[in-house]
Amino acid sequence: MHQEVFIQLAAILVLGILAQWISWKIHLPSILVLLLTGFLVGPVLNWIDPDKLFGVALFPIVSLSVAIILFEGGLSLSYRQLKNLKDVVLRLVTIGVALTFGLVALTAHYVLNMNWHIAALFGSILVVTGPTVIIPLLHHLRVKREIGQVILWEGIVNDPIGATMALIAFEVIIAESLGQAILVSVLGIFKTLLIGTLLGALGAFLLVFLMKRYWLPEFLHNPVTLMVLIIIFGLSNHFQEESGLLAVTLMGIFMANQKMAPVKHILEFKENLRLILIAVLFILLSARLELSVIPFTDPTAYFFLFLLIFVIRPVMVSLSTIGTSLNWRERVLLFWMAPRGIVAAAVSSIFGLYLVEKGMPEGMQLMSYTFFVIVGTVAFYGLTAGRVASLLKLSFAHPQGILIVGAHAWGRKLARFFKGQGIDVLLVDSNKHNVKMAEREGCEAQEGNILLENFQEGLDLSGIGKLFALTSNDEVNTLACLHFADLLGRENIFQIAYHEPQLNGEPDRNPMWRGRILFDKELTFEKLESLLKNGGELKVFKIDEHYTFDDFLQQEDRKYPLILKKVNGKLEVWAEDKMPEPEIGDQILAIVLPVKNGQMENGKQERDLL
């Protein structure tokens, strides 16, 4: 028996991580693969029964997991990144929430024939737009920073609001009189806001206080943060049901926007934990579904889903953003980003079961339609949002731009060369003169210390997919690579070669701490500077039937390849650990040494395609 339980627990974790890896390989949102995995191992093959496996602990585990996800989401919400879009977020989480609630309730009553009480509860549940779905979807799409932040804020803040509204609607349903229902509603809203805000602020203050005074060793920052989060969540729910989600979300937001203690290392830990929790939660909740209960064959369910996606959401966004700075493209993208996720599933399951226990069969109707909406919206938005964002020119799912750290003379020369080849380039330097020179030369540049914790927030990395650390300081290059490894992926982080000191015959640094060695291990800062100052030219070599890669390699001692530009526009970087393999139609961007009379040693004429 114990062995069977262990196998099922291990299978949930393994399948969840494997599903996310598969989604990355096939370029699909991970949520779709996770849902399909859950359906397969649950109702289809009956390998995993979450209710039997966890019993009464299932929904407390789900609730606590959602709390951790919302806290991590709150930690990623920075006021600074919103700039002029704070009013948009405020309208979406107030006017937008009210419109969504009212329109969904009306539609549910007249289309799905729900009674008014259940329709109101259904409307409250569908207010949420699910960070458990939106966060992976945003990571997959790589939308422009500001509109991405609006989508993220809406998804995270709406979850506790929707859960609170659902609780109040549920209390109204079971109230014995109209007067009691009104009293429950007013008190519920007041207590949730008061308790959630006070305890969220208390938790953030306690953690910042302990870290600022160094009363906690750094190795305990993450465990203690998790401990405080659980305490705050439990206390808040104890004093007012479902207020815990609001408390932990606000706790994360408060910590993210204070300046007294660094929290980036906590965010990184919670991001890793979030990936695991999302994988497990989606498999658990989809595995416990009875497919026969979900109205996949009901035409009215599809009509409701159509109205939800193509009428209710666009109307809500349009009315909520009147008079704001959003352009029409950003509004359309907001139309297309409202999938429902874990919170909707958990809340509908909890209240649906309560209603069934109280002799109200409408509770099963509530759960079945909620899960139908979850499956439908995740599938629809997951499969179409990327295409829509790309058509709107708001997405960079596979960005090819380069962030160059170091706007010195030859760094600017490289940037101009890459820009001339249609490659987006952003230069960063702490030297004001270098930045001004880059701007005069037509390059996009930004002044600042790339090593500062908050500097990333001020960078518009739209279209940027790779980092080249090109400063003369090897420590700065290494730290820059470490700072951007999580954001861009370690495979896209490069730094120029360095003179590696030897201690007892061994390198003095772990190569895993560094970026990938750029271009060639011989091309140190000094070598590149010398080449480009003393006659080295930047040229493009096109590979075709008459000029093969072998022809190019014959003079490798006279040329240093930098980047391979594929026919489809994708860039492959020459790195010390992996060399690209050029094909017909590709272009090689390289540094060429000076030669006499424009001839190479074997007599071939250099081909400058610039």
Side-chain angles (χ1 to χ4, degrees):
M1 179 64 181
H2 295 298
Q3 187 67 19
E4 182 182 348
V5 170
F6 172 78
I7 291 173
Q8 290 192 36
L9 291 173
I12 292 170
L13 182 60
V14 170
L15 290 171
I17 303 302
L18 186 61
Q20 297 200 57
W21 179 78
I22 291 172
S23 68
W24 171 75
K25 288 291 289 183
I26 63 178
H27 304 295
L28 275 179
S30 60
I31 304 306
L32 284 176
V33 185
L34 287 168
L35 276 175
L36 292 174
T37 303
F39 288 143
L40 182 65
V41 300
V44 175
L45 299 176
N46 292 313
W47 286 352
I48 295 174
D49 183 352
D51 292 294
K52 181 180 178 181
L53 187 61
F54 292 96
V56 295
L58 177 61
F59 285 108
I61 290 172
V62 171
S63 297
L64 183 57
S65 300
V66 170
I68 294 171
I69 292 169
L70 287 179
F71 172 73
E72 185 270 332
L75 272 179
S76 65
L77 298 180
S78 170
Y79 298 134
R80 292 182 293 274
Q81 291 186 339
L82 281 177
K83 291 187 177 180
N84 300 321
L85 294 175
K86 294 184 179 68
D87 61 325
V88 177
V89 172
L90 183 61
R91 291 186 183 197
L92 286 173
V93 300
T94 52
I95 299 172
V97 163
L99 286 170
T100 301
F101 166 74
L103 291 172
V104 170
L106 283 169
T107 308
H109 175 71
Y110 288 108
V111 174
L112 300 180
N113 293 318
M114 290 183 177
N115 66 50
W116 282 113
H117 286 157
I118 301 300
L121 181 54
F122 191 48
S124 301
I125 292 170
L126 294 192
V127 159
V128 304
T129 49
T132 53
V133 185
I134 285 176
I135 292 174
L137 197 54
L138 286 176
H139 285 181
H140 175 71
L141 298 182
R142 291 286 298 274
V143 300
K144 286 192 173 181
R145 184 188 61 193
E146 289 192 352
I147 189 61
Q149 279 291 306
V150 170
I151 295 168
L152 189 62
W153 270 85
E154 183 199 15
I156 291 171
V157 174
N158 275 0
D159 265 10
I161 292 175
T164 302
M165 291 175 63
L167 173 66
I168 293 168
F170 175 76
E171 295 288 352
V172 168
I173 291 174
I174 62 176
E176 295 179 356
S177 65
L178 178 62
Q180 184 184 5
I182 295 173
L183 180 63
V184 165
S185 300
V186 174
L187 284 178
I189 294 172
F190 176 75
K191 287 176 66 179
T192 299
L193 290 175
L194 178 64
I195 293 170
T197 303
L198 288 178
L199 287 178
L202 176 63
F205 172 79
L206 177 61
L207 286 171
V208 171
F209 180 85
L210 292 173
M211 289 188 287
K212 181 183 177 182
R213 284 162 176 75
Y214 304 103
W215 289 1
L216 280 179
E218 189 163 340
F219 73 89
L220 284 180
H221 282 190
N222 288 322
V224 170
T225 299
L226 188 59
M227 177 191 74
V228 172
L229 184 157
I230 293 172
I231 291 172
I232 294 298
F233 179 69
L235 282 175
S236 189
N237 278 346
H238 174 73
F239 291 116
Q240 172 64 24
E241 283 188 82
E242 300 303 325
S243 65
L245 295 181
L246 177 63
V248 296
T249 303
L250 291 176
M251 178 176 154
I253 294 173
F254 292 150
M255 289 189 67
N257 291 279
Q258 54 80 35
K259 298 181 180 179
M260 293 180 286
V263 296
K264 184 179 178 181
H265 58 300
I266 296 174
L267 178 59
E268 290 171 353
F269 167 71
K270 293 295 185 293
E271 284 177 343
N272 294 330
L273 189 57
R274 169 178 55 80
L275 288 174
I276 296 173
L277 291 176
I278 287 176
V280 170
L281 289 178
F282 266 94
I283 288 181
L284 282 179
L285 290 179
S286 55
R288 69 181 298 274
L289 294 178
E290 291 290 340
L291 293 182
S292 59
V293 173
I294 303 178
F296 287 125
T297 58
D298 183 359
T300 59
Y302 289 95
F303 182 52
F304 174 82
L305 186 64
F306 173 85
L307 293 175
L308 181 68
I309 293 173
F310 293 105
V311 179
I312 295 175
R313 178 67 179 179
V315 167
M316 183 279 283
V317 171
S318 300
L319 294 178
S320 300
T321 58
I322 291 175
T324 65
S325 59
L326 290 184
N327 58 47
W328 71 268
R329 289 186 177 86
E330 292 167 332
R331 284 187 171 90
V332 172
L333 186 60
L334 278 175
F335 295 170
W336 233 268
M337 290 293 284
R340 273 62 176 184
I342 289 295
V343 175
V347 172
S348 68
S349 298
I350 292 170
F351 292 133
L353 290 174
Y354 282 162
L355 291 173
V356 171
E357 289 175 1
K358 290 183 176 293
M360 301 176 67
E362 296 91 345
M364 186 58 67
Q365 182 189 29
L366 177 74
M367 287 188 288
S368 62
Y369 280 112
T370 300
F371 276 98
F372 177 82
V373 168
I374 292 170
V375 174
T377 56
V378 167
F380 177 79
Y381 293 120
L383 291 173
T384 63
R387 181 61 177 164
V388 170
S390 179
L391 289 172
L392 294 171
K393 299 182 179 178
L394 294 174
S395 170
F396 301 91
H398 305 289
Q400 299 298 311
I402 301 172
L403 174 64
I404 295 180
V405 183
H408 40 68
W410 66 264
R412 299 195 301 271
K413 188 172 184 178
L414 277 180
R416 293 195 306 274
F417 176 61
F418 294 152
K419 184 179 177 182
Q421 297 305 308
I423 301 170
D424 292 331
V425 180
L426 173 62
L427 285 158
V428 174
D429 202 305
S430 58
N431 186 305
K432 185 179 293 187
H433 172 74
N434 286 345
V435 172
K436 286 185 176 180
M437 289 298 296
E439 291 174 340
R440 286 180 188 174
E441 295 168 9
C443 296
E444 186 177 353
Q446 188 161 337
E447 179 189 352
N449 186 349
I450 203 165
L451 304 182
L452 294 178
E453 181 178 3
N454 296 325
F455 184 69
Q456 285 186 24
E457 297 177 3
L459 288 176
D460 185 0
L461 297 177
S462 302
I464 299 296
K466 295 175 175 59
L467 178 136
F468 288 2
L470 304 180
T471 77
S472 59
N473 189 316
D474 188 54
E475 284 75 17
V476 170
N477 292 338
T478 299
L479 290 172
C481 290
L482 286 173
H483 274 227
F484 282 84
D486 289 336
L487 181 64
L488 301 179
R490 187 168 293 278
E491 70 277 11
N492 296 314
I493 301 296
F494 303 88
Q495 68 184 97
I496 55 174
Y498 53 96
H499 294 298
E500 187 176 38
Q502 301 286 318
L503 296 176
N504 299 322
E506 295 292 334
D508 71 336
R509 294 181 190 172
N510 188 336
M512 290 302 295
W513 298 345
R514 317 179 61 85
R516 298 170 63 188
I517 299 302
L518 190 59
F519 307 144
D520 188 289
K521 61 183 178 181
E522 296 180 7
L523 290 181
T524 62
F525 180 92
E526 294 78 11
K527 181 69 176 287
L528 276 165
E529 184 176 47
S530 175
L531 286 175
L532 293 172
K533 274 188 176 180
N534 298 301
E537 299 180 55
L538 294 165
K539 293 182 177 290
V540 181
F541 297 83
K542 186 172 183 180
I543 304 301
D544 55 31
E545 294 85 352
H546 308 292
Y547 187 80
T548 66
F549 185 46
D550 288 335
D551 294 330
F552 177 87
L553 290 176
Q554 286 178 11
Q555 291 295 321
E556 60 182 345
D557 59 326
R558 307 289 299 190
K559 306 191 222 40
Y560 291 94
L562 307 177
I563 290 177
L564 180 69
K565 187 176 181 182
K566 305 290 288 184
V567 176
N568 60 8
K570 184 179 179 181
L571 301 182
E572 295 183 11
V573 178
W574 249 270
E576 194 269 335
D577 62 340
K578 185 178 180 181
M579 307 296 179
E581 298 180 1
E583 300 174 347
I584 291 178
D586 295 347
Q587 294 180 342
I588 301 173
L589 284 58
I591 298 175
V592 181
L593 300 186
V595 292
K596 295 180 180 180
N597 302 320
Q599 298 290 324
M600 301 300 283
E601 287 183 357
N602 67 351
K604 283 188 177 289
Q605 181 74 30
E606 287 182 359
R607 305 172 63 188
D608 186 354
L609 303 181
L610 287 174

